[in-house]
Amino acid sequence: MTPSSIQAQKSKRLMVFCGRSVPGLGEKIAETLHIKLGDIENKTFSNGEIYVRYRENIRGSDVFLIQSTSDPVNENLMELLIMIQAARLASARRITAVMPWMGYCRQDKKSAGREPISAKLVADLLQVAGADRVLTMDLHQGQVQGFFNIPVDHMTALSIISGYFRLKQIPEEEIVVVSPDVGGVKRAKKFAEKLGPKVDLAILTKTRPEHNVAEIMAVIGDVKDKVAIMVDDMIDTAGTMKAGAETLTGMGAREVYSACTHAVLSGAAYERLEDSPIKEVVVTDTLPLNPEKSAGKIRVLSTASTLADTIQSVFLDESVSRLFEGDDQLF
Amino acid sequence: MTPSSIQAQKSKRLMVFCGRSVPGLGEKIAETLHIKLGDIENKTFSNGEIYVRYRENIRGSDVFLIQSTSDPVNENLMELLIMIQAARLASARRITAVMPWMGYCRQDKKSAGREPISAKLVADLLQVAGADRVLTMDLHQGQVQGFFNIPVDHMTALSIISGYFRLKQIPEEEIVVVSPDVGGVKRAKKFAEKLGPKVDLAILTKTRPEHNVAEIMAVIGDVKDKVAIMVDDMIDTAGTMKAGAETLTGMGAREVYSACTHAVLSGAAYERLEDSPIKEVVVTDTLPLNPEKSAGKIRVLSTASTLADTIQSVFLDESVSRLFEGDDQLF
Amino acid sequence: MTPSSIQAQKSKRLMVFCGRSVPGLGEKIAETLHIKLGDIENKTFSNGEIYVRYRENIRGSDVFLIQSTSDPVNENLMELLIMIQAARLASARRITAVMPWMGYCRQDKKSAGREPISAKLVADLLQVAGADRVLTMDLHQGQVQGFFNIPVDHMTALSIISGYFRLKQIPEEEIVVVSPDVGGVKRAKKFAEKLGPKVDLAILTKTRPEHNVAEIMAVIGDVKDKVAIMVDDMIDTAGTMKAGAETLTGMGAREVYSACTHAVLSGAAYERLEDSPIKEVVVTDTLPLNPEKSAGKIRVLSTASTLADTIQSVFLDESVSRLFEGDDQLF
Amino acid sequence: MTPSSIQAQKSKRLMVFCGRSVPGLGEKIAETLHIKLGDIENKTFSNGEIYVRYRENIRGSDVFLIQSTSDPVNENLMELLIMIQAARLASARRITAVMPWMGYCRQDKKSAGREPISAKLVADLLQVAGADRVLTMDLHQGQVQGFFNIPVDHMTALSIISGYFRLKQIPEEEIVVVSPDVGGVKRAKKFAEKLGPKVDLAILTKTRPEHNVAEIMAVIGDVKDKVAIMVDDMIDTAGTMKAGAETLTGMGAREVYSACTHAVLSGAAYERLEDSPIKEVVVTDTLPLNPEKSAGKIRVLSTASTLADTIQSVFLDESVSRLFEGDDQLF
Amino acid sequence: MTPSSIQAQKSKRLMVFCGRSVPGLGEKIAETLHIKLGDIENKTFSNGEIYVRYRENIRGSDVFLIQSTSDPVNENLMELLIMIQAARLASARRITAVMPWMGYCRQDKKSAGREPISAKLVADLLQVAGADRVLTMDLHQGQVQGFFNIPVDHMTALSIISGYFRLKQIPEEEIVVVSPDVGGVKRAKKFAEKLGPKVDLAILTKTRPEHNVAEIMAVIGDVKDKVAIMVDDMIDTAGTMKAGAETLTGMGAREVYSACTHAVLSGAAYERLEDSPIKEVVVTDTLPLNPEKSAGKIRVLSTASTLADTIQSVFLDESVSRLFEGDDQLF
Amino acid sequence: MTPSSIQAQKSKRLMVFCGRSVPGLGEKIAETLHIKLGDIENKTFSNGEIYVRYRENIRGSDVFLIQSTSDPVNENLMELLIMIQAARLASARRITAVMPWMGYCRQDKKSAGREPISAKLVADLLQVAGADRVLTMDLHQGQVQGFFNIPVDHMTALSIISGYFRLKQIPEEEIVVVSPDVGGVKRAKKFAEKLGPKVDLAILTKTRPEHNVAEIMAVIGDVKDKVAIMVDDMIDTAGTMKAGAETLTGMGAREVYSACTHAVLSGAAYERLEDSPIKEVVVTDTLPLNPEKSAGKIRVLSTASTLADTIQSVFLDESVSRLFEGDDQLF
């Protein structure tokens, strides 16, 4: 007798594709997962329009698209949006936008009338294009998770960075972690805790002694004779980092380090860091660095294995928070 | 000849209705606007279900619904949602949810795996019920604006509070503004700037000197012989404020004040404030206070005229940011 | 050669979590399914806000959340909404809101101008929070299914209740099923049919003999010397049930029973039932009963096995209507 | 100096267009409003596809589209949907679908597994096409209002019909209003109340005396020597009405009338009514009648002025419930 | 120990159901797939409303619904929409609307003010009803794919038709492919390429030699002594095909064929084709033909195996474009 | 007595803002409307992120945002999206995206598997950002209108261009309008009709005489001794135009002109046009031209007054199609 249906076993398939912003990071992630990067054609026509085509079948797959929306941010964002839409139209089962660095994430509220909230716009664009999930790292504010209606896996590289500093074996009581501004004190405190209970905390703040007088930088907390580590989520133009290092040195700090997850490094950032009293700048590979300029003080740690582990956990429905809890207990 | 259409002049009509959480504030706002509060029936059946009915025609009106989602937060939120839906079904032209205090706004990101983002949920609920706009005050994090797809007018009471302190005429150089925790330093700095360029800044932070030792509170910055003003967006159980005041006194502060916009004051908050070395607690009327308990140290400033001005500007399509810019220039 | 994808077998996993409204029912359902209730933390802060956290990994699971929106209805509804959102953000594969009793379901249309349709609002809230399906029982009106855009499995406890009455072995021709009002005649007829073809039907109706005269209750149909069973979807304040029982007794009914699925029993309901000529009140456990007051006449039948069977069928993609068809053939 | 904006006075414009299902009703409504029906081209191509084009500018207008989704229901529904979409694309300010009769409204819940809820589907279709509001009459169940996310103005013709019967001056105590089935008792009771406090109520119910025996019709309540008025929302095949009239006559009713809002009258309905003991069938013009067949017993009352009044109130933002409250006080 | 979840293997199940427009095509597709057509009840009530019920369990299935929206287009479209909604409410896992012919697809843009874009409306209706995918053939314009937010598998029958002509073994250099109007030249060129590199191309165009003179048909390109094959996506009233054939014959074409995918054939189409100089009309079975009238010149090719292959590929997550690429290489 | 509402007259206000892609066109449009361009700050940070702020109040205004998404297309698109979102958050009453040229509009369907439909993506992005309407010109395919759920006003510059050629007073019978490829014949025919009934039509087509032989360009239709005008919606790399002109010259055309609305002119386009036998290239100002390179053969016509008229009609709710009908009658 003819049956009225066809049965088939259901399996799932993980595929990873990479945009043109961070090809190296994509390669490393794929390597860690023991797969080849998926075959995709990404090109820009002479009129500036981007074209994308998947060169292998992705029907029913669990697709992870790796793209940092680094400079040129609008090019990279649009490339990611097109990759997402094409994957949806090509019947991927689930699409995860893996954005180690999410551009525009600092424009996350209106500070003045008639401003945009660009980070919310980016969230809306990713969703309307067809992303089912987002995987990102050290958002400027964790609240940006709430801009999405889809699940967000929010990783952190703080442990990678603090792990690196622990290898230097500086005595805890000689370290002071410094927040470069009043908005980042919470992050600085978390980082200090990862380095040990006796690590101190200080805050840099810009202040104007009187009306019509130029702003100066002041330190709240004690840094004298200490090893100061300025920590932030990102370094952009490096102006604050340079001024901060000078202030800290002026206040008697023995050595000054600078650390962050996202090395945006725009404008004269490389030059400023080079010219500053900072001894070493510790960053990660969530954005591509300028290989010619990053030779000197800059030390780049890789987030590839963290990202690969998370991708695998998401694919296998295993706990992701577990990955970071285990981490916490090391410190 | 018969025409094929009827023409009519188009006018707009502002109406204000108030839920049962802050009836006094609603009355004051209406008074400032020189109108009566709209006639609405809000009741709770014996089985706990809420019923709402507008007792006057609201078709085509620009309706403002005033409700703080204070304790009992779920009752007050549901009442507001029902008011919004009923207004939509009754063909109001535009519905603005005026929430001087937005409950659940602190649960604004996932800090641990498998947590909710309740503030985002509240935003989603308000929108699905039919709100066209939200008007609120001193959100715990300004980023919560981005949880909405509808425009949010975000007011602040910082100027009302700083204005009150300026009347005390304490010399600038004797004041230190204290953030009760590492997450509120930015707000404290803004408040300090409103009081004058010479006002100092300090931060309270909980720290654990060694593993398995109880947390203690420490001060970063100098408070000795100063008048300390601890400022925050809200006071909930008042535990931090009490401990902070004791620490500041212990570190030699001359006098300690406490200030916030939102007087949540749950649990033993009233008792804690009474028992603490705090001289005066300055709050506003965005939540209803317990009249029996708030007699002593608590000073309540009203936000009614700020809210009424904003409502009128929204109705008349006038700039709202203008209201707060003018304010800034006073300082 | 490195493959370009990772393959994995796909399995599915059923998990059941229970809110704080009907913990006993949740336990019984889990027991019937031979699993433990999932580990979840549900708590209320001193300021009235609810917090929820899943204590075990639910990624990729088929999650069933059991919560009756019984009194305190707004607390229980909000708890359910937060559970749903947290499950969605924690990447559950599918979320079914199991609401044995759906509060607000009587406010299902506008009977007067400017009223809400609260049942529709509840449907909208559940969906925006992230529910994929709803499983509920004996809705006041079946049409409420259409308020949802997601599939609704609509169970009935009529067979459980009629089965209980059949055990009493009252001769069919001595029974009259009575609808307590004109809106419930269809349900009463269905119930009568379950008891046997010779069972009679009668209707209670409130009527006002003349203008400005108090309403009295009248019976349409014959109840003299019969065993009258008043049946409804719910008993709330029990006012109608008490007056009905008195009227039926006055019209010569030999014995009066009262039966319903949902024992809302608000206000003075327990006292009214106790004081009435009703011999026995048959209800189910879709809402929690007051254990102190429900000792006397009230008989509680359990819906746990019906709900467990349905949950299992939904999980295994088996027909749900089949469960209730089989039932029909017994009568 | 050049200004940076152009100002213009804002007015609103009401336009009424009519589909091809009830041209006569559309004409009457326009007449009552003292306007011409809007100029629209509605045609069907030889391949069965419908084409619609507005022949006059409707930008910014408040457009009311009159169309009953009567037989051929799918043609009429699709024509309405196309009219709505074309109006939206042509930049109408607001679009109200005026459906005196809403086809598919009886399929309003799942009574068996794997059935559609077609009434909900129709609601979804109207909304996705672009309707901003719906205006309809005597829905089979009022709950269908909740299938829409847009405001629904739900009119009733019960007063028009009861007004007609009051003109007959039958003494109240001689009338019994009869619900033709157990689902319509509420409506019958409301109608009886409109005729006077002494008017009685009875219910027709189909019952099966024993298993495997044909269903017979029974009356609950007393009809002997009375003038029986069977009332329902609609008459479709008229089978129940005919059988009901015969049963009522058999039980001694002096005269039998039949009344409803919606004269669907499909299949052999006209013949059945003609052949039945019904003296007069009172209906309204919400559906087009077959002029050849409706000569005899059928009395058609017009809903045009009720619909026109409602349209005008909606346009002018005046209360609509007011129209029907006044009515209630007459009885 | 009791586990906290139930595990089950996940499988998938393909089911095919067919509406009443193309029962023969449905049967052939099922046969090719070696399954029985699913059991569904589709009926029309005497009042014109359609009713649908699935007679077997479809929970969790991958459901394909076959329905051409051929004349009566609105009936067939509504039947499909109801089938989709019922499948969604019955918890199908995925629903694919298989529309070999999509009615209304020519009304795909506004050519005049205040027109509808009916093809977009149809897309919106299918999506709001609950379709997850669409599978269709030779859309009038491929751009209609972009009217959907869901994936569209767009098949072509051009290879089936060109394959048939290749069997005739007409020498390439004797063939001219003719586009019957200026909008179809691209399709004609593609078809010509499938027949061979030496096949010529010509275009028919309507032109008006002077103002107020009737339009005449002209040929651009050379057809003298050639075998002309007019090719289009559809033949509707066949007016253009008849006039085109006469013009081509007049210009010296040796033989004239007509070919299209969709045999709409409305109005006097059959008669016109019979009366024309066309030798053979080659069509497919995407629409049902009138068996009485299609005896003569009309040759019907079947699309069943193409559709069945595509359905199977979609079900098994295999590449669909692969099916058509292989095809291209044959020519 | 205090009133319960405030009344105000309702007026509307038109404001025009311009992005950075076509500042000159924006200025001309504003000038035609006799207003100043609205004051807006558009800037790009050193990290590549765009920032926008409205420098004047836009609450309640009818805002028109002029931006061509020309090269750099992703920058210009993102700037437009941010302008739209900021306008929505700033409470504009209505937002119209005026895109004289819509980038990505050629990627309007999938021609191969796993491609994007980028034009649909752009439509989705504009809508999710908050655009209420779109105003654009000469879309590559008119069907792209259907990619939007919001109204699209689709202008054409064909009359502007044909008007320019009529001024040359070339005798009708000496002109042949040439479509540069098989997809543009419809547009070429429309253009020919605007020039006069005796104007001829020809088509350029690429063809491959045998397998593995290079494609050559052929002409269908007669061009000998004629003035050939190649017309298209856009000229991008100008490769087809150059080859076409050479082919036409080779076939005996007396003179060759090239015309289009959108002068994309990417890559070596300017050089190719210069090197070709084309006598004059007629374009419009919907994209910014390279002033250094466009000196020679290129003639730029302005669309500013057409766009300004349309904006004014949209603002005043006047018919827009009227603007283009009048035009048609001139020819």
Side-chain angles (χ1 to χ4, degrees), chain C residues 1 5-6 11 48 63 113 145 165 181 183 227 238 243 269 304 309 327 329:
Chain C
M1 205 191 85
S5 67
I6 300 174
S11 66
V63 170
Q145 293 168 57
F165 275 102
D181 61 36
V227 175
D309 286 357
D327 224 312
Q329 287 164 355

Side-chain angles (χ1 to χ4, degrees), chain D residues 20-183:
Chain D
R20 287 178 289 175
S21 65
V22 279
L25 181 59
E27 282 294 348
K28 272 194 214 156
I29 290 172
E31 217 170 273
T32 313
L33 291 166
H34 303 297
I35 57 171
K36 273 197 303 192
L37 269 181
D39 192 6
I40 188 170
E41 174 185 6
N42 289 16
K43 69 179 178 198
T44 302
F45 292 117
S46 64
N47 62 20
E49 295 180 6
I50 291 169
Y51 173 84
V52 161
R53 184 168 181 251
Y54 291 90
R55 284 211 189 95
E56 44 182 329
N57 179 29
I58 62 170
R59 282 192 182 247
S61 292
D62 198 0
V63 170
F64 292 80
L65 306 177
I66 300 171
Q67 176 85 323
S68 271
T69 47
S70 53
D71 196 17
V73 50
N74 302 308
E75 303 295 318
N76 287 330
L77 176 57
M78 194 65 188
E79 182 170 305
L80 177 56
L81 295 173
I82 294 175
M83 287 167 73
I84 292 170
Q85 194 222 32
R88 177 163 56 86
L89 297 182
S91 305
R93 185 176 63 80
R94 189 168 68 168
I95 301 163
T96 302
V98 181
M99 304 171 78
W101 157 249
M102 176 179 165
Y104 283 107
C105 71
R106 263 172 304 178
Q107 189 67 33
D108 58 5
K109 65 166 192 283
K110 287 171 71 170
S111 326
R114 297 167 236 119
E115 275 193 345
I117 306 183
S118 309
K120 166 68 173 172
L121 176 63
V122 170
D124 286 344
L125 302 183
L126 290 165
Q127 287 176 104
V128 84
D132 294 302
R133 317 180 51 85
V134 162
L135 198 161
T136 190
M137 231 174 184
D138 283 323
L139 288 166
H140 186 56
Q141 291 285 343
Q143 283 77 10
V144 170
Q145 293 168 59
F147 291 11
F148 292 89
N149 289 313
I150 51 176
V152 176
D153 287 303
H154 186 203
M155 314 285 95
T156 178
L158 276 194
S159 302
I160 296 172
I161 298 169
S162 62
Y164 175 77
F165 275 102
R166 286 169 64 87
L167 293 176
K168 293 189 188 283
Q169 298 191 301
I170 312 168
E172 273 187 33
E173 48 279 357
E174 298 180 16
I175 305 178
V176 60
V177 169
V178 182
S179 169
D181 59 37
V182 291

Side-chain angles (χ1 to χ4, degrees), chain E residues 182-258:
Chain E
V182 290
V185 188
K186 208 166 179 176
R187 179 181 294 107
K189 175 139 199 282
K190 232 178 193 164
F191 186 75
E193 283 167 4
K194 281 184 185 290
L195 291 179
K198 293 180 190 147
V199 169
D200 260 355
L201 191 63
I203 297 114
L204 288 163
T205 168
K206 282 180 195 136
T207 178
R208 200 182 298 278
E210 299 203 37
H211 282 301
N212 301 321
V213 168
E215 273 193 345
I216 59 160
M217 205 171 233
V219 187
I220 308 179
D222 191 19
V223 301
K224 196 157 162 57
D225 296 328
K226 297 251 184 162
V227 174
I229 308 176
M230 289 184 293
V231 73
D232 214 342
D233 57 325
M234 90 187 71
I235 304 177
D236 189 344
T237 61
T240 302
M241 281 293 176
K242 180 162 184 273
E246 287 162 359
T247 305
L248 291 170
T249 309
M251 301 298 284
R254 201 172 81 200
E255 271 183 345
V256 179
Y257 290 90
S258 170

Side-chain angles (χ1 to χ4, degrees), chain A residues 46 51 53 104 113 115 266, chain F residues 46 49 51 53 104 113 115 266:
Chain A
S46 65
Y51 173 83
R53 184 167 181 252
Y104 283 109
E115 273 194 346
S266 76
Chain F
S46 65
E49 296 180 7
Y51 173 84
R53 183 166 183 253
Y104 283 108
E115 274 194 344
S266 76

Side-chain angles (χ1 to χ4, degrees), chain F residues 77-91:
Chain F
L77 176 57
M78 193 66 187
E79 180 170 305
L80 177 55
L81 295 173
I82 295 175
M83 286 167 74
I84 292 170
Q85 193 221 34
R88 177 163 55 87
L89 296 182
S91 306

Side-chain angles (χ1 to χ4, degrees), chain C residues 105-119:
Chain C
C105 72
R106 263 172 305 178
Q107 189 67 33
D108 59 5
K109 64 165 194 281
K110 287 171 72 171
S111 327
R114 297 167 236 120
E115 274 193 346
I117 306 184
S118 309

Side-chain angles (χ1 to χ4, degrees), chain E residues 75-214:
Chain E
E75 302 295 320
N76 286 331
L77 176 57
M78 193 66 187
E79 182 171 303
L80 177 56
L81 295 173
I82 294 175
M83 286 167 74
I84 292 170
Q85 192 221 35
R88 177 164 54 87
L89 296 182
S91 305
R93 185 176 64 80
R94 189 168 68 167
I95 300 164
T96 302
V98 181
M99 303 170 78
W101 157 250
M102 177 179 165
Y104 283 109
C105 70
R106 263 172 304 178
Q107 188 68 34
D108 58 6
K109 66 165 192 281
K110 287 171 72 171
S111 327
R114 296 167 236 120
E115 274 194 346
I117 305 181
S118 308
K120 166 69 171 169
L121 176 62
V122 169
D124 286 344
L125 301 184
L126 289 165
Q127 287 176 105
V128 84
D132 295 301
R133 315 180 52 84
V134 162
L135 197 161
T136 189
M137 230 172 185
D138 283 323
L139 288 165
H140 186 56
Q141 291 284 344
Q143 283 76 10
V144 169
Q145 295 168 57
F147 291 10
F148 291 89
N149 289 313
I150 52 177
V152 176
D153 287 303
H154 186 203
M155 314 286 95
T156 177
L158 275 194
S159 302
I160 296 173
I161 298 169
S162 61
Y164 175 77
F165 276 101
R166 285 170 64 86
L167 293 177
K168 292 187 189 286
Q169 299 191 299
I170 312 167
E172 273 187 35
E173 47 280 357
E174 300 180 16
I175 305 179
V176 62
V177 170
V178 182
S179 170
D181 60 37
V182 290
V185 188
K186 208 166 179 176
R187 179 181 294 107
K189 175 139 199 282
K190 232 178 193 164
F191 186 75
E193 283 167 4
K194 281 184 185 290
L195 291 179
K198 293 180 190 147
V199 169
D200 260 355
L201 191 63
I203 297 114
L204 288 163
T205 168
K206 282 180 195 136
T207 178
R208 200 182 298 278
E210 299 203 37
H211 282 301
N212 301 321
V213 168

